[in-house]
Amino acid sequence: MRTDSSPGTLPAREHLPAADAGTPVLDVVIPVYNEEKDLQPCVRRLHEHLTRTFPYAFRITIADNASTDTTPQVSQRLEAEIAEVRAFRLEQKGRGRALRTVWSASDAPILAYMDVDLSTDLNALLPLVAPLISGHSDLAIGSRLARSSRVVRGPKREFISRSYNLILRGSLQARFSDAQCGFKAIRRDVAQVLLPMVEDTGWFFDTEMLVIAERAGLRIHEVPVDWVDDPDSTVHIVKTATEDLKGVWRVGKALASGSLPLDRIARPFGDDPRDREIKDVPKGLARQLVGFCVVGGLSTLFYLLLYSAFRQFGGSQVANALALLVSAVANTAANRRLTFGVRGSGGAVRHQAQGLVVFGIGLALTSGSLAALNAASSNPAHSTELAVLIAANLAATVLRFLLFRAWVFPDRRESTVVASHTPAPAAPPLHPPLPVRAGGNHFTYDEYDDQFRAGEAADRTWGDATMQLQPVRPTDTDPRDAR
């Protein structure tokens, strides 16, 4: 249950409408650095595949980030020869910088990217973007670690990839399976709000984007892919791994401190079926009870360990008070995040203060139980003390859940559902229209790169984030459709 009153800054997901608009539905970005050999066959193969299989208009964008060979000339030649190809030039390196810059400037409603080596089988491209077009998902990624994926690569890369994803699961609680597969897509309306929050400009860009999106509650669709390792890859594994670990540490600190404004990319209430009022279905009560019981069981074990440790240095009353105080603070924080789904630092102090009131009630119950035990027996056994405390804590736990649900983390769904019917304000643009070089069609984005630091575009105005789709084949439209 989400207890904040904000309806979110993103609209509810909808199927992108199909109509004649002249705007490509899909913009596939290929970030390149010194790829003069592989660029032309890659682009021509991708173009042929999209022309043959993709039912809507598309664009292929070559994002050349500071190549020093003939890659810029190859890009310009492809742009001149193929109508659906665009070439952009950045004067600074960084795959993340290239993706953020080109995605932010694109007018296509669906944005994707893939590596120039085309290690991923292109048959996965339509399944990748279809959930975004339909409104089912916000982002989509190819996964080499799904059970049905078919992957050919050496044991070294396999070990590094699986180890990295285990680190993400353990440290950032990531639930997606493959962060670094060079095969991803995102809805433009999501990218407009999400990209300013992503700081990395290199290889960690993908991971940071996915972690923030997942923590904000956006839906990430995974597509199993067939993938063949490129033995001529120029990626420096050790350097990349080191930078990724630094990024994991930075994002982990930001999430722990609540400094990331995740509410900026929250979907409005009503978009999530768990927010709907359905007859005879409890409003999250069952899920909250399960979460509360799990947190309560772990808190009880933590409390008993603390009590046993403090009992070695003081009396039972002092040990009980200290153990209950420490475990109560941890219990409130865990229930706040895991049971009642409250994110960020807003209201954390108030919640802890209210939790301490609940702690006082628990202290009265357990201390009273110990006092009664000591009155009945002058020297009770340690096991008897623990048994009495467990019984008292069970009674306090029931009361704690009721107070948490009704007082500390109340359900404010009614007010937020009303707020969700108010259209969210338009999101601000990341930068002004891009310039065209005199005498040519080649663009330079470097002068705009500094504008893309996190949160710097908060005061500008976005255009319409939902673009109209243009079918390639007339037979793809239904004449009975009145749209």
Side-chain angles (χ1 to χ4, degrees), residues 104-282:
S104 300
S106 179
D107 57 353
I110 305 298
L111 311 170
Y113 97 88
M114 61 180 58
D115 292 335
V116 69
D117 55 17
L118 295 186
S119 296
T120 303
D121 182 26
L122 292 178
N123 287 326
L125 182 55
L126 185 55
L128 182 80
V129 302
L132 307 186
I133 295 175
S134 70
H136 175 271
S137 302
D138 300 294
L139 299 91
I141 65 173
S143 176
R144 298 163 296 184
L145 302 181
R147 288 188 176 182
S148 56
S149 298
R150 295 175 291 190
V151 177
V152 178
R153 61 177 169 181
K156 181 179 178 180
R157 286 184 176 269
E158 181 78 10
F159 174 78
I160 292 175
S161 179
R162 292 189 178 274
S163 298
Y164 179 64
N165 283 280
L166 285 175
I167 291 173
L168 293 180
R169 288 176 176 268
S171 59
L172 300 180
Q173 300 178 351
R175 295 191 297 273
F176 48 84
S177 65
D178 193 350
Q180 291 288 27
C181 181
F183 194 69
K184 295 181 175 68
I186 185 173
R187 287 175 64 104
R188 178 176 176 263
D189 58 345
V190 176
Q192 289 173 343
V193 187
L194 178 59
L195 294 182
M197 300 173 63
V198 181
E199 295 185 15
D200 191 80
T201 59
W203 291 94
F204 188 69
F205 173 88
D206 304 50
T207 302
E208 186 172 359
M209 178 181 67
L210 291 174
V211 169
I212 295 175
E214 186 177 70
R215 287 298 186 95
L218 301 184
R219 175 174 284 166
I220 301 175
H221 178 75
E222 294 198 18
V223 178
V225 297
D226 297 341
W227 195 86
V228 179
D229 188 18
D230 178 15
D232 299 324
S233 175
T234 59
V235 178
H236 300 286
I237 296 179
V238 176
K239 180 180 179 181
T240 302
T242 302
E243 294 299 321
D244 285 348
L245 292 177
K246 291 180 180 178
V248 169
W249 174 257
R250 174 176 55 79
V251 173
K253 287 196 302 181
L255 291 172
S257 64
S259 60
L260 283 172
L262 299 179
D263 56 334
R264 290 185 185 177
I265 50 177
R267 288 288 183 186
F269 284 87
D271 185 59
D272 190 329
R274 294 170 296 182
D275 296 323
R276 301 173 187 168
E277 295 186 9
I278 303 176
K279 186 178 180 180
D280 299 328
V281 177

Side-chain angles (χ1 to χ4, degrees), residues 19 38 51 116 135 186 192 216 220 227 254 293 301 332 341 376 388-389 411 426 454 478:
D38 296 332
T51 302
V116 69
I186 185 173
Q192 289 173 343
I220 301 175
W227 195 86
C293 289
L301 292 176
T332 300
V388 170
L389 288 173
D411 188 349
D478 190 342

Side-chain angles (χ1 to χ4, degrees), residues 9-89:
T9 59
L10 291 174
R13 288 188 301 265
E14 295 181 353
H15 194 301
L16 296 176
D20 295 331
T23 300
V25 174
L26 174 66
D27 192 348
V28 183
V29 180
I30 304 176
V32 293
Y33 173 72
N34 289 349
E35 297 288 354
E36 59 183 2
K37 178 181 177 182
D38 296 332
L39 180 56
Q40 179 166 310
C42 161
V43 170
R44 292 191 180 280
R45 178 183 164 196
L46 175 60
H47 180 265
E48 186 276 332
H49 176 83
L50 288 171
T51 302
R52 179 170 48 87
T53 65
F54 194 68
Y56 296 108
F58 63 88
R59 178 191 301 136
I60 301 173
T61 302
I62 304 170
D64 172 25
N65 46 312
S67 292
T68 57
D69 60 3
T70 62
T71 296
Q73 289 74 28
V74 176
S75 302
Q76 292 178 10
R77 185 166 63 250
L78 289 169
E79 182 181 37
E81 295 175 359
I82 305 175
E84 291 82 7
V85 173
R86 295 292 181 271
F88 294 112
R89 167 78 177 181

